[in-house]
Amino acid sequence: MKEEIGSYFQHVYGPVHTGEGNQYIYVQQAASLLREQARDRRRAVSEEDREYLAARFVAPAGLQHARARLSGSRTVLIGGLPGNGRRTAALMLLHDLSETGGTLHELPDTTDDTGSPLLDTGDIGDGDRLLLDLSEADESRFVAVQNTLSDFRSALITREAHLAVVLPHRLGYLLRDDLKRLAVEIGRPSARRVLTARLRRDGINFTPDELEGAGLSTFLTQAPMRDVAGLADRIRQQRNTSTADRGFPHWLADALLHQQNQSARVATDLAAEPSGRRKALLLSLAMFHGTAPAVVLYAANSLLGLLSHPPDPAPRLDRADLYAELSAIKAETGPDGNAIFSVPEYDRGVREHFWTYLPDIRRQLRDWFKACLTELALPDEDRTRAVRRFAEQSLRTDRPQDLVWLADQWTSKGAAARLIPDAAQVLACGLEDDRHGRFFRQQIYEWAVSTETSGRLREVLVVVCAETMSGSHPDQALVRLHHLARRSEGRGEATAREALRKLTAADDRLYRSLLDRFAAGIARGRGAQDRALFLELVDPVRLIGFRSVREAQASCWSDVLGQKDEFWGPSLAAWLTAAEDVRHRDLVLRVLSTACATDVQVSGRVYRVALGWARAGESTDRLHTLNHLLRHLDAAQGIESYDRAA
């Protein structure tokens, strides 16, 4: 009989259920979770997020020079120290050029699909404003991008577009001489002004003296801009949740507590702590801070077992109870009965200490966390916080593969369906990370194109692409959703199609890109995968005034019409119905006639289906549309046309 290590309790885990209905509920829960988290992170290129940033933006030193460089050369390379807000400055420079008429979008930073160039001139539209973030690029990629930049800039000039590039700070020595004239170094904006601007914009009033405390001054001197923005957000949260008798000084003091660095204190405490069991309790409480004491105890026992820690031979009642063990590590239970450290931010210090100074057990910590999340039936908020904490440490210590492994494990065959939101969240955390986001975009691409990816993981990828990646990298989200829609089955395929529809619904550039992908896929022999997607997702009249759109539509229809009438008949009827509108009639029918111009038999089949459609409606508009279609079909065949009664 195996002896349990330390205290023992039961029923902290829930049953495993993997039914389809239950799975769908958890997929929806994952989508809702990521959607909510996306609202809290405003670094995307969407107009709504840019307007939010612009209202709170404080110009750094050098921005005016960068603006002049961008205006004169259509390209600016933004340099500066990490934490100075280089990406935000680049976004704001492009945002200020909204009168150019094009769209603002970020260039892909992964090589999607075979043969994709590092900088594709096909990504440039007339008047576009383009962002290229190379802040975390490695040496080889930085050099390769520079080698293609000359031709790309020529296309920029031709199309009257603009490009802002965020440079990697540590690789400045690799910048080519011919590009140095485009580089502008931006300084650090006033952190106090940034904080003030954000607070004023959120309707928070204060006096200048209330921003003069020593603690705040020290923080503002050292903190990167994202942490200054985070402080403003926490002050707002304190304002929204505090009682009426508490004012700005209290909100600020409470918000600053979350900025305290307890690393030195944690290191001292652990150096004086000989007990492995107490260290396990420390880390367990740090990971599951604010949860029930039973959860902390289960996690500690699990960690000790995984690390083969010898059990305590003393009888159970001779050992300390959990209250005493928690007190020994400076922990307590709050009014809600959950366990917390008595020192603010001590939990973060513990996590950072273990991941930094015990690098040899990081893989075991990954396995331990996976086991805890798999077995523990935690409330949703506790699971979300725990996943975020683990992801933060994995990314900080350059172990993004641990999050990939967890996502794969939690979506594998036999895994509990309730792990689906956890899998989605670890991938979302990776995508949102400044240093490792590109790694996750590439990994998700590889999963999306692989035939070995499980159906459950595909559903998670759809959610992650639709709710997280689409905000910052919509072009790359489109590519991955397209591959997922091609390769998924059942509800997963329907979910991917709906995600594609939503992503392209309000963005004409993305819609045209998707249509071009359908046409290219068909041309490369992938017609079977893209025919149904084309018929379901392409609007007969959207952007039909553009020749390139009509050419892509006709190319797709030409392949579709090679299938049985039953496959395309209902869609043809929908296109003919759209053609009843005289504003679009000629162009829609031109697309259809062009698609079957080289095959008399196909033209006959199209006319026969159209004839049935006209007779089913019994309207004058349908008869007129049918006669116009006949003229187009005859003209495409070189035949002199005449009206034919329906």
Side-chain angles (χ1 to χ4, degrees), residues 150-191:
S150 178
D151 291 341
F152 192 79
R153 290 191 62 234
S154 297
L156 279 176
I157 296 171
T158 301
R159 297 172 189 173
E160 298 184 342
H162 295 80
L163 170 67
V165 182
V166 182
L167 295 174
H169 172 68
R170 66 189 185 282
L171 301 180
Y173 67 95
L174 291 176
L175 185 63
R176 286 174 22 173
D177 289 340
D178 61 315
L179 296 176
K180 288 181 179 178
R181 66 181 183 85
L182 302 174
V184 176
E185 192 93 358
I186 66 163
R188 173 183 167 86
S190 167

Side-chain angles (χ1 to χ4, degrees), residues 401-536:
Q401 66 274 13
D402 284 351
L403 304 187
V404 169
W405 183 84
L406 284 174
D408 188 56
Q409 292 290 306
W410 286 338
T411 56
S412 61
K413 184 177 181 180
R418 58 185 170 80
L419 295 168
I420 288 175
D422 302 327
Q425 190 187 356
V426 293
L427 294 178
C429 288
L431 286 171
E432 292 173 343
D433 186 73
D434 291 335
R435 292 192 299 126
H436 299 294
R438 181 171 179 264
F439 170 87
F440 284 90
R441 286 188 287 276
Q442 189 65 50
Q443 176 62 60
I444 291 173
Y445 175 80
E446 292 171 6
W447 271 330
V449 300
S450 173
T451 58
E452 298 180 0
T453 303
S454 69
R456 183 174 292 184
L457 179 54
R458 289 187 186 280
E459 290 200 70
V460 167
L461 297 180
V462 169
V463 170
V464 170
C465 290
E467 304 297 343
T468 302
M469 194 188 300
S470 63
S472 57
H473 295 80
D475 296 79
Q476 291 169 284
L478 175 77
V479 171
R480 286 146 186 77
L481 288 171
H482 183 201
H483 282 296
L484 290 166
R486 282 170 164 173
R487 292 166 175 81
S488 300
E489 297 178 351
R491 190 183 63 241
E493 180 185 14
T495 305
R497 290 185 182 188
E498 182 59 25
L500 276 174
R501 188 195 310 278
K502 289 182 178 179
L503 181 61
T504 59
D507 192 317
D508 289 344
R509 184 183 62 83
L510 290 178
Y511 175 78
R512 293 179 70 169
S513 178
L514 181 61
L515 181 56
D516 289 340
R517 288 184 61 82
F518 290 153
I522 288 172
R524 294 169 184 163
R526 296 177 179 172
Q529 299 170 319
D530 282 332
R531 291 180 194 118
L533 291 173
F534 165 75
L535 293 178
E536 180 177 340

Side-chain angles (χ1 to χ4, degrees), residues 10 37 67 130 149 158 163 168 187 196 214 260 278 288-289 310 427 432 438 445 451 479 505 508-509 537 540 553 572:
Q10 292 179 308
Q37 292 181 346
R67 182 175 288 112
L130 308 173
L149 192 56
T158 301
L163 170 67
T196 298
Q260 293 183 9
R278 287 186 182 176
F288 298 98
H289 199 246
L427 294 178
E432 292 173 343
R438 181 171 179 264
Y445 175 80
T451 58
V479 171
D508 289 344
R509 184 183 62 83
L537 298 178
Q553 289 176 333
L572 179 67

Side-chain angles (χ1 to χ4, degrees), residues 358-370:
L358 281 84
D360 51 319
I361 66 167
R362 288 173 185 165
R363 183 183 62 79
Q364 290 93 328
L365 292 180
R366 178 204 68 184
D367 296 345
W368 165 67
F369 186 72
K370 180 242 180 181

Side-chain angles (χ1 to χ4, degrees), residues 307-369:
L307 294 176
S308 301
H309 196 276
D312 188 341
R316 178 65 192 96
L317 294 182
D318 288 343
R319 291 178 247 153
D321 62 17
L322 187 53
Y323 177 87
E325 288 192 296
L326 290 175
S327 298
I329 61 171
K330 300 182 178 65
E332 58 190 24
T333 53
D336 56 2
N338 292 331
I340 57 174
F341 286 112
S342 56
V343 178
E345 292 303 297
Y346 195 83
D347 59 311
R348 178 181 295 178
V350 170
R351 293 191 298 271
E352 292 183 353
H353 184 93
F354 271 83
W355 259 267
T356 300
Y357 298 110
L358 281 84
D360 51 319
I361 66 167
R362 288 173 185 165
R363 183 183 62 79
Q364 290 93 328
L365 292 180
R366 178 204 68 184
D367 296 345
W368 165 67
F369 186 72

Side-chain angles (χ1 to χ4, degrees), residues 607-624:
Y607 182 76
R608 184 169 62 251
V609 172
L611 185 61
W613 165 81
R615 288 173 174 170
E618 297 182 353
S619 71
T620 303
D621 285 340
R622 289 201 174 193
L623 181 58
H624 287 330

